[in-house]
Each structure stands twice: as C-alpha cells, then as structure tokens.
Amino acid sequence: GVDRALIDMARTDSNIAVLLVAGCDWLDKAAQDKGKKEFMELDQAARDEVVRIAEQSPRNNLSRIFFDTIRHHSFRHYYAQPASWQGLGYSGPPQPRGFPDHVEPPKPPTS
C-alpha cells in the first residue's frame, strides 16, 4: 500500500504532487535514453541502474531529491504497518500496553 499512501500524500501536499510528477517524468526520460518509452518498460537491471543514478546524483539535483523524498516516505509508510514489524523482531509501540514494570525502580547497570 506504499504506492497508494504516496498518492494520498500528493492529494493533500502540492509539493509532493509536483515532485512525483517531475520525478516520474525524469524516470521516463531516463528510460528513453535507454531506448524504452517508459521506466516500467525497462528490465529490472536497467531500472536498478536508473535508480542508482538518482541515488548518486548531487543533493540539489531533481533526481536525488526525488529519490531521497520517495525513499523516506516509502520507508515511513511501510514500517508504520504492523505487518512489517514481525520480521524486525519489533512487537510494536509500548502504548497502550504501557510499561508494566514502571512501578519498580530502574535496575542498576551491570558492569
């Protein structure tokens, strides 16, 4: 559902909307440089190469801003889903369960 979450963000945040359009245009232009009409027509290796180019671009470059922003929000939305926590060994936030041992004094550090 990360893709839908990004689209929902774009509906309420015009900066994200503009960045998504410009970034997707950049991806398609990169695909055209490789002889394809659209990014999704590239095979996986070529798509990985294009994404690597974005990742390694200077920080003020559109492709890098697109990469960093989409990566940040994708991770945020993905890891906000409880289904992603199990593989990390994370049982979730302490609330509403709380800290059942909060009435006990802190344990001293072991040396």
Side-chain angles (χ1 to χ4, degrees):
V2 171
D3 57 339
R4 290 183 303 278
L6 291 171
I7 291 167
D8 287 345
M9 281 182 62
R11 287 187 177 119
T12 59
D13 184 331
S14 62
N15 291 327
I16 294 293
V18 168
L19 182 62
L20 275 176
V21 169
C24 288
D25 287 347
W26 178 85
L27 290 172
D28 288 343
K29 172 68 172 91
Q32 291 163 11
D33 292 345
K34 296 182 172 299
K36 300 291 183 182
K37 185 178 177 187
E38 297 177 341
F39 178 75
M40 292 307 296
E41 292 177 4
L42 297 172
D43 63 28
Q44 188 63 50
R47 287 193 304 250
D48 288 348
E49 181 183 340
V50 169
V51 171
R52 223 177 346 271
I53 290 168
E55 178 187 26
Q56 295 171 358
S57 295
R59 289 202 181 273
N60 62 346
N61 187 291
L62 166 66
S63 58
R64 177 65 180 272
I65 294 168
F66 176 67
F67 174 85
D68 288 343
T69 303
I70 297 307
R71 180 177 183 259
H72 168 80
H73 289 296
S74 296
F75 281 5
R76 190 177 122 234
H77 288 292
Y78 180 81
Y79 288 112
Q81 303 304 313
S84 70
W85 301 345
Q86 186 176 16
L88 301 171
Y90 176 62
S91 61
Q95 302 304 331
R97 293 184 318 266
F99 295 98
D101 64 349
H102 76 281
V103 295
E104 302 292 323
K107 294 179 177 129
T110 58
S111 24

Coordinates of all heavy atoms in Angstrom, one line a residue, residues 10 14-31 39 50 54 61-67 69-70:
A10 N 0.2 13.1 -2.1 CA 0.2 14.0 -3.2 C -1.1 14.8 -3.3 O -1.2 15.9 -3.7 CB 0.5 13.3 -4.5
S14 N 0.8 19.7 -2.2 CA 1.1 20.1 -3.6 C 2.6 19.9 -3.9 O 3.0 19.6 -5.0 CB 0.7 21.5 -3.9 OG 1.3 22.4 -3.0
N15 N 3.5 20.1 -2.9 CA 4.9 19.9 -3.1 C 5.2 18.4 -3.5 O 6.0 18.2 -4.4 CB 5.8 20.3 -1.9 CG 5.7 21.8 -1.7 OD1 5.7 22.6 -2.6 ND2 5.8 22.2 -0.4
I16 N 4.6 17.5 -2.8 CA 4.8 16.1 -3.1 C 4.2 15.8 -4.5 O 4.8 15.0 -5.3 CB 4.2 15.2 -2.0 CG1 4.9 15.4 -0.7 CG2 4.1 13.7 -2.4 CD1 6.3 14.8 -0.6
A17 N 3.1 16.4 -4.8 CA 2.4 16.1 -6.1 C 3.4 16.6 -7.2 O 3.6 15.8 -8.2 CB 1.1 16.9 -6.2
V18 N 3.9 17.8 -7.1 CA 4.8 18.3 -8.1 C 6.0 17.4 -8.2 O 6.5 17.1 -9.3 CB 5.2 19.8 -7.8 CG1 6.3 20.3 -8.7 CG2 4.0 20.7 -8.0
L19 N 6.6 17.0 -7.1 CA 7.8 16.2 -7.1 C 7.5 14.8 -7.7 O 8.3 14.3 -8.5 CB 8.3 16.0 -5.7 CG 9.6 15.2 -5.5 CD1 10.7 15.8 -6.3 CD2 10.0 15.0 -4.1
L20 N 6.4 14.2 -7.4 CA 6.0 12.9 -8.0 C 5.9 13.0 -9.5 O 6.5 12.2 -10.3 CB 4.7 12.4 -7.5 CG 4.7 11.6 -6.2 CD1 3.3 11.3 -5.7 CD2 5.6 10.4 -6.3
V21 N 5.3 14.1 -10.0 CA 5.1 14.2 -11.5 C 6.5 14.5 -12.1 O 6.9 13.8 -13.1 CB 4.2 15.4 -11.8 CG1 4.2 15.7 -13.3 CG2 2.7 15.0 -11.4
A22 N 7.3 15.4 -11.5 CA 8.6 15.7 -12.1 C 9.5 14.4 -12.0 O 10.3 14.1 -13.0 CB 9.2 16.8 -11.4
G23 N 9.5 13.7 -10.9 CA 10.3 12.6 -10.7 C 9.9 11.4 -11.7 O 10.8 10.8 -12.3
C24 N 8.7 11.2 -11.8 CA 8.2 10.2 -12.8 C 8.6 10.6 -14.2 O 9.0 9.7 -15.0 CB 6.7 9.9 -12.6 SG 6.3 9.0 -11.1
D25 N 8.5 11.8 -14.5 CA 8.9 12.3 -15.9 C 10.4 12.1 -16.0 O 10.8 11.6 -17.1 CB 8.6 13.8 -16.0 CG 7.1 14.1 -16.3 OD1 6.4 13.2 -16.5 OD2 6.8 15.3 -16.1
W26 N 11.2 12.3 -15.0 CA 12.6 12.1 -15.0 C 12.9 10.6 -15.3 O 13.8 10.2 -16.1 CB 13.3 12.5 -13.8 CG 14.8 12.3 -13.8 CD1 15.8 13.0 -14.4 CD2 15.4 11.1 -13.3 NE1 17.0 12.4 -14.2 CE2 16.8 11.2 -13.6 CE3 15.0 10.0 -12.6 CZ2 17.8 10.3 -13.2 CZ3 16.0 9.0 -12.3 CH2 17.3 9.2 -12.6
L27 N 12.2 9.7 -14.6 CA 12.3 8.2 -14.7 C 12.1 7.8 -16.2 O 12.8 7.0 -16.8 CB 11.4 7.5 -13.8 CG 11.8 7.5 -12.3 CD1 10.7 6.9 -11.5 CD2 13.1 6.9 -12.0
D28 N 11.0 8.4 -16.8 CA 10.6 8.0 -18.1 C 11.7 8.6 -19.1 O 12.0 7.9 -20.1 CB 9.2 8.6 -18.5 CG 8.1 7.8 -17.8 OD1 8.4 6.6 -17.4 OD2 7.0 8.3 -17.8
K29 N 12.2 9.8 -18.8 CA 13.3 10.3 -19.7 C 14.5 9.4 -19.6 O 15.2 9.2 -20.7 CB 13.6 11.8 -19.3 CG 14.8 12.4 -19.9 CD 14.6 12.6 -21.4 CE 15.7 13.4 -22.0 NZ 16.7 12.6 -22.6
A30 N 14.8 9.0 -18.4 CA 16.0 8.1 -18.3 C 15.7 6.8 -19.1 O 16.7 6.2 -19.7 CB 16.2 7.8 -16.8
A31 N 14.5 6.3 -19.1 CA 14.2 5.1 -19.9 C 14.3 5.4 -21.4 O 14.8 4.5 -22.1 CB 12.8 4.6 -19.5
F39 N 9.7 4.1 -18.0 CA 10.6 3.5 -17.0 C 10.2 2.0 -16.7 O 11.0 1.1 -16.6 CB 10.5 4.3 -15.6 CG 11.3 3.7 -14.5 CD1 12.7 3.8 -14.5 CD2 10.6 3.0 -13.5 CE1 13.4 3.2 -13.4 CE2 11.4 2.5 -12.4 CZ 12.7 2.6 -12.4
V50 N 19.0 3.0 -13.2 CA 18.4 4.4 -13.2 C 18.3 4.9 -11.8 O 18.6 6.0 -11.5 CB 17.1 4.4 -14.0 CG1 16.4 5.7 -13.7 CG2 17.3 4.1 -15.5
A54 N 20.0 8.1 -9.7 CA 19.3 9.1 -8.9 C 19.9 9.2 -7.5 O 20.2 10.3 -7.0 CB 17.8 8.8 -8.8
N61 N 20.1 18.1 -7.0 CA 19.6 17.6 -8.3 C 18.2 17.0 -8.2 O 17.9 16.4 -7.2 CB 20.5 16.5 -8.9 CG 20.3 16.1 -10.3 OD1 19.3 15.5 -10.5 ND2 21.2 16.5 -11.2
L62 N 17.3 17.3 -9.1 CA 15.9 16.8 -9.1 C 15.9 15.3 -8.8 O 15.1 14.8 -8.0 CB 15.1 17.1 -10.4 CG 13.8 16.3 -10.5 CD1 12.8 16.8 -9.5 CD2 13.3 16.5 -11.9
S63 N 16.7 14.5 -9.5 CA 16.6 13.1 -9.4 C 17.0 12.6 -8.0 O 16.4 11.7 -7.4 CB 17.5 12.4 -10.4 OG 18.8 12.8 -10.3
R64 N 17.9 13.3 -7.4 CA 18.3 13.0 -6.0 C 17.3 13.4 -5.0 O 16.9 12.6 -4.0 CB 19.7 13.6 -5.6 CG 20.1 13.4 -4.2 CD 20.4 11.9 -3.9 NE 20.9 11.7 -2.6 CZ 22.2 11.8 -2.2 NH1 23.1 12.1 -3.1 NH2 22.5 11.7 -1.0
I65 N 16.7 14.5 -5.2 CA 15.6 15.0 -4.3 C 14.4 14.0 -4.4 O 13.8 13.6 -3.4 CB 15.2 16.4 -4.6 CG1 16.3 17.4 -4.3 CG2 13.9 16.8 -3.9 CD1 16.1 18.8 -4.9
F66 N 14.1 13.6 -5.6 CA 13.0 12.7 -5.8 C 13.4 11.3 -5.1 O 12.5 10.8 -4.4 CB 12.8 12.5 -7.3 CG 11.8 11.4 -7.7 CD1 10.5 11.6 -7.4 CD2 12.2 10.2 -8.3 CE1 9.5 10.6 -7.8 CE2 11.3 9.3 -8.7 CZ 10.0 9.5 -8.4
F67 N 14.6 10.8 -5.3 CA 15.0 9.6 -4.7 C 14.9 9.7 -3.2 O 14.3 8.8 -2.5 CB 16.4 9.2 -5.1 CG 16.9 8.0 -4.4 CD1 16.7 6.7 -4.8 CD2 17.7 8.2 -3.2 CE1 17.2 5.6 -4.1 CE2 18.2 7.1 -2.5 CZ 17.9 5.8 -3.0
T69 N 13.3 11.8 -1.2 CA 12.0 12.1 -0.6 C 11.1 10.8 -0.7 O 10.4 10.4 0.2 CB 11.3 13.2 -1.4 OG1 12.2 14.4 -1.3 CG2 9.9 13.5 -0.8
I70 N 11.1 10.2 -1.9 CA 10.2 9.0 -2.1 C 10.7 7.8 -1.2 O 10.0 7.1 -0.5 CB 10.2 8.6 -3.5 CG1 9.5 9.7 -4.4 CG2 9.4 7.2 -3.7 CD1 8.2 10.2 -3.9

